[in-house]
Amino acid sequence: MGERLVVLIGPTAVGKTKMSIELAKRLNGEIISGDSMQIYKGMDIGTAKIKPEEMEGIPHHLIDIKDPAESFSVAEFQQLVRPLIREIARRGRLPMIVGGTGLYIQSVIYDYHFSDAPSDETYRRHLQHIAQENGEMVLYEKLKDVDPKSAERIHPHNVRRVIRALEVYHCTGKTITEWQKTETPELLYDAVIVGLTMEREQLYQRINERVDQMVAEGLLEEVRALYKRGLRDCQSIQAIGYKEIYAYLDGHLSFEEAIEQLKQNSRRYAKRQLTWFRNKMAVRWFDMTDFSKFAEKRDEILQYIEGKLQQKTNI
């Protein structure tokens, strides 16, 4: 096994940021962001990025490393994080991956070889053109025909993943699900994987309140700055919180409708995150529904992590 590693996952708005700081302080940890959108500079409010004053001196990695015009892939995340884990461990600190982008985190801690996944840029461009000309649902229907299992997992509007699944099928004749089955992933680290969860109604209420807070903090101004730069067909602008405000700035929705859609999309995303984590990773879940018992829950999680790390050291 490799280095010791703590992974803290969970749906949006469940309280990962606050918990991660509390744990890192007690575990001598450094935090690696496991969020596919917090890598972008200038996208702070909409991605609920941790503020410098909230870090309490804990080093954070992989935040603000890309311009919103740039793309970012799972493979790139994997290439950046693995050396970081080694480097943090060499300094005698405990690496902690914290975030909600399951596929990114999975790609790091398991032995997946993304470079082996076949690709065909011409075909990908052809599919992008179809989506622009005829709408994204045309591609989604195509995916449902050739790979219904992936279609169940992938949101119809996540065009990038729909295209990727179609591309793998085009190149190999296998669905992405079948292709992934040929991979036998092994856990690369002495990892303790902890998940935060919450009763659904409470989580949805927190999500709604968080969106209202984002608006109060200046979400509209943040998105307008990107809009004025002419950023359009970028990966970053597909993020929840940005695409809805773009629809408002384009005149397709009223501001109230955009915010309502943002809340709804965030709630649906949280539901998908929980489903994904439960199906894909061996997680020890802790319920955060009663936030007044935060300190008790923190101590319980800490005890669990320390016990697991001790076991791994003794093996």
Side-chain angles (χ1 to χ4, degrees):
M1 276 286 185
E3 291 83 1
R4 299 191 313 161
L5 173 71
V6 168
V7 179
L8 180 66
I9 58 174
T12 187
V14 79
K16 295 186 298 293
T17 300
K18 182 175 164 65
M19 183 62 78
S20 66
I21 294 294
E22 292 290 315
L23 295 175
K25 285 194 294 192
R26 289 159 176 79
L27 292 165
N28 191 28
E30 293 192 19
I31 292 171
I32 300 167
S33 169
D35 185 291
S36 62
M37 290 296 157
Q38 292 188 356
I39 55 156
Y40 290 114
K41 298 169 191 166
M43 293 176 65
D44 304 338
I45 300 168
T47 64
K49 200 177 284 175
I50 187 168
K51 299 178 178 78
E53 63 271 18
E54 293 170 334
M55 292 181 182
E56 298 192 36
I58 301 294
H60 280 66
H61 305 273
L62 257 59
I63 291 175
D64 295 338
I65 61 164
K66 288 269 182 183
D67 184 85
E70 296 177 276
S71 63
F72 191 65
S73 68
V74 178
E76 204 176 335
F77 181 78
Q78 188 191 71
Q79 285 156 13
L80 288 171
V81 175
R82 286 181 178 169
L84 245 182
I85 290 171
R86 281 196 297 276
E87 186 192 310
I88 293 167
R90 266 205 298 270
R91 288 203 298 270
R93 308 288 295 264
L94 179 66
M96 296 174 61
I97 301 178
V98 179
T101 309
L103 184 65
Y104 278 47
I105 296 169
Q106 188 189 34
S107 78
V108 168
I109 66 175
Y110 292 100
D111 189 13
Y112 281 100
H113 302 290
F114 283 95
S115 55
D116 297 344
S119 61
D120 179 337
E121 199 162 325
T122 310
Y123 183 68
R124 195 183 318 143
R125 286 201 180 128
H126 166 66
L127 293 178
Q128 284 163 349
H129 180 71
I130 290 174
Q132 280 161 7
E133 292 293 308
N134 307 303
E136 30 197 57
M137 286 312 289
V138 173
L139 289 188
Y140 188 70
E141 290 302 324
K142 192 175 165 76
L143 181 64
K144 280 208 296 197
D145 287 343
V146 300
D147 187 356
K149 275 194 178 161
S150 289
E152 277 175 31
R153 285 202 317 271
I154 299 172
H155 193 276
H157 299 314
N158 193 336
V159 184
R160 226 162 21 90
R161 284 190 63 203
V162 171
I163 287 175
R164 184 70 185 118
L166 287 168
E167 187 184 8
V168 169
Y169 184 76
H170 168 77
C171 294
T172 64
K174 286 181 182 174
T175 67
I176 202 161
T177 317
E178 288 166 341
W179 185 82
Q180 282 168 343
K181 275 181 187 163
T182 64
E183 301 274 290
T184 50
E186 279 177 62
L187 200 54
L188 291 174
Y189 301 95
D190 280 332
V192 183
I193 308 172
V194 168
L196 304 184
T197 185
M198 190 175 273
E199 191 270 319
R200 186 169 290 177
E201 286 310 307
Q202 169 91 348
L203 181 64
Y204 286 178
Q205 188 187 331
R206 279 176 64 87
I207 287 169
N208 292 342
E209 286 167 3
R210 175 186 272 189
V211 172
D212 290 336
Q213 187 187 340
M214 286 174 174
V215 172
E217 286 179 4
L219 178 64
L220 177 57
E221 291 72 19
E222 178 172 282
V223 181
R224 189 177 271 135
L226 300 169
Y227 188 87
K228 281 182 177 170
R229 274 185 60 185
L231 293 176
R232 193 49 64 175
D233 299 316
C234 311
Q235 188 176 331
S236 59
I237 303 308
Q238 299 312 307
I240 296 170
Y242 295 84
K243 58 184 178 183
E244 296 86 357
I245 304 291
Y246 260 59
Y248 159 67
L249 294 171
D250 282 338
H252 301 314
L253 298 173
S254 71
F255 188 63
E256 290 70 26
E257 285 167 339
I259 296 308
E260 198 41 58
Q261 206 171 86
L262 166 47
K263 288 177 178 177
Q264 187 182 55
N265 287 340
S266 299
R267 294 192 300 265
R268 284 177 178 162
Y269 177 57
K271 191 178 172 186
R272 289 200 305 276
Q273 282 176 301
L274 278 167
T275 304
W276 199 96
F277 287 131
R278 288 194 168 119
N279 290 339
K280 298 281 183 179
M281 292 164 102
V283 184
R284 168 71 159 83
W285 292 98
F286 291 86
D287 193 297
M288 301 298 295
T289 302
D290 187 353
F291 226 72
S292 66
K293 293 189 174 158
F294 181 88
E296 285 172 44
K297 200 59 72 171
R298 174 203 63 207
D299 293 344
E300 193 187 329
I301 293 171
L302 199 58
Q303 197 177 356
Y304 172 75
I305 291 172
E306 287 174 334
K308 279 285 179 190
L309 291 175
Q310 189 60 44
Q311 274 176 24
K312 290 176 188 296
T313 307
N314 294 339
I315 288 169

